[in-house]
Amino acid sequence: MAKNTLSITDNRTGKQYEIPIELGTINAMDLRQIRTDAEDFGLMTYDPAFTNTASCKSRITYIDGDKGILRYRGYPIEELAEKSNYLETAYLIVKGELPNRQHFETWEHNITVHTMVHENIKKFMEGFRYDAHPMGMLVGTIGAMSTFYPEAKNIFDLDSRRLQTRRLIGKVPTVAAYAYRHSRGLPYVIPDNELSYTGNFLSMLFKMAELQYKPNPVLERALDVLFILHADHEQNCSTSAVRAVGSSQVDPYSAVAAAAAALYGPLHGGANEAVIRMLVEIGDVKNVPEAIKKFKAGEGRLMGFGHRVYKNYDPRAKIIKQVADQVFEVTGKNPLIDIAVELERIALEDEYFVKRKLYPNVDFYSGIIYQAMGFPMEMFPVLFAIPRMAGWVAQWAEMVRDGEQKIARPRQIYIGEDTRRWIPMADRPEPLQREESVSHQI
Ligand code: ACO
């Protein structure tokens, strides 16, 4: 019978090793025994950007990138997007099971009672410059929240973890909406707990002089579906950030602020903005073939296409395309959609994209929908961060409870200078020579 092991021959020494394979992986520490002599540190792996390294075991999200499958706790994303709502999906992600009615109502209540923020948080946010980026405000304010809830540092206390989880999921739309209102010079709108999670968010964003804001049910549901689609995506950049920072045992607000900072970057939370800019630049359906030609020649990339993990149609992109049609029925069509559809049509038939398995990802259509709903582009990463909070806190709590985890501390391959002697300043090389030295560059 085939053995679940890996045999390695070290050709430097001729020695042989047998290493167990568990769950399709080898344990990197098992390589450390492979040494040339007693002085040797032992073999390591080199994996910049962790493209082939599992950093944890997780029960939360499953992705099969080749088949285009995404599941939260075993439930296919398509079913959740069709039948669930964001708060129920957040419960599923955080707690591992779908709630029964009573558990859902308690959860909804527990989140809703935490939608208000401390008055000093509002004051704190007033201190941002009039033109501050809403995502910068969100990152800073989530970090500042740790000072309002000092007991959050008790990360091994289950009750404390639960309380911070509810607070974070409950307050993130409020902080996000305040950031938006601040950047528009509009007064803050207090949460309306009569409304749904997304309905209340729309109210805090767009309420003007009316006594009660009534969200359009189609837009409310569309946003809810988009929130479901963005709730978790296993070990992406921001989730890895929350786990790495949280592994120092810092409080969850600080760890989640780090995750939000990761999401601020254009390669993570900013791709849908790049899609809009690209579509505007293309300008017209008739210019699409020319644009495709340029992408194929390496002049820029077809933004919203391709994914590190998905080598098939991103299942979220399929759902988003349907949501777009529903939203446009209410808002009128975003003219950029025609350019996007034509780009997709041509790219999916083109050998360049087919051969490289480049398909639309979640960002290809999401920006077009957000724009049609009236969101400025700076809000796009904020709209991503709100639902991802469920994923971040669930992944953080899973990491805290995981006995195999320790403080995250990758290794490096040192390629710098060997030991050197300090020399007096007067004897050091001239600046010109020093600038040429690679090690002097920052
Ligand atoms: N347009 C044109 N060519 C592309 C594209 C694209 N969007 N994406 C990849 N390619 C090509 C590359 O040029 C490369 O071609 P080559 O083999 O001839 O050199 C090949 O496909 C593989 O590309 P890599 O960059 O090695 O793939 P990687 O997995 O590292 O990158 C990424 C994935 C970053 C998402 C990439 O596809 C890309 O830049 N896409 C556009 C940006 C985008 O939409 N980002 C959002 C991702 S989803 C998210 O973060 C939520």
Side-chain angles (χ1 to χ4, degrees), residues 267-268 271 295 301-308 311 352-353 356 358 361-363 384:
L267 293 187
H268 194 4
F295 298 138
R301 285 196 165 189
L302 172 46
M303 298 311 290
F305 256 67
H307 197 277
R308 172 61 59 76
K311 300 302 167 196
Y352 174 95
F353 295 91
R356 289 169 178 77
L358 301 171
N361 60 48
V362 68
D363 291 315
F384 193 154

Side-chain angles (χ1 to χ4, degrees), residues 141-157:
T141 308
I142 293 174
M145 277 161 72
S146 81
T147 65
F148 288 80
Y149 308 111
E151 78 282 5
K153 69 176 188 297
N154 301 323
I155 62 165
F156 297 112
D157 180 80

Side-chain angles (χ1 to χ4, degrees), residues 330-343:
V330 177
T331 62
K333 199 159 95 173
N334 183 338
L336 298 178
I337 189 79
D338 291 335
I339 304 172
V341 168
E342 183 65 357
L343 274 169

Side-chain angles (χ1 to χ4, degrees), residues 141-156 160-161 164 168 242 245-258 393 396 399-400:
T141 308
I142 293 174
M145 277 161 72
S146 81
T147 65
F148 288 80
Y149 308 111
E151 78 282 5
K153 69 176 188 297
N154 301 323
I155 62 165
F156 297 112
S160 173
R161 281 206 304 271
Q164 314 321 324
L168 276 161
V242 79
V245 173
S247 75
S248 75
Q249 300 186 356
V250 73
D251 69 89
Y253 298 94
S254 304
V256 164
V393 288
W396 166 77
M399 182 272 307
V400 169

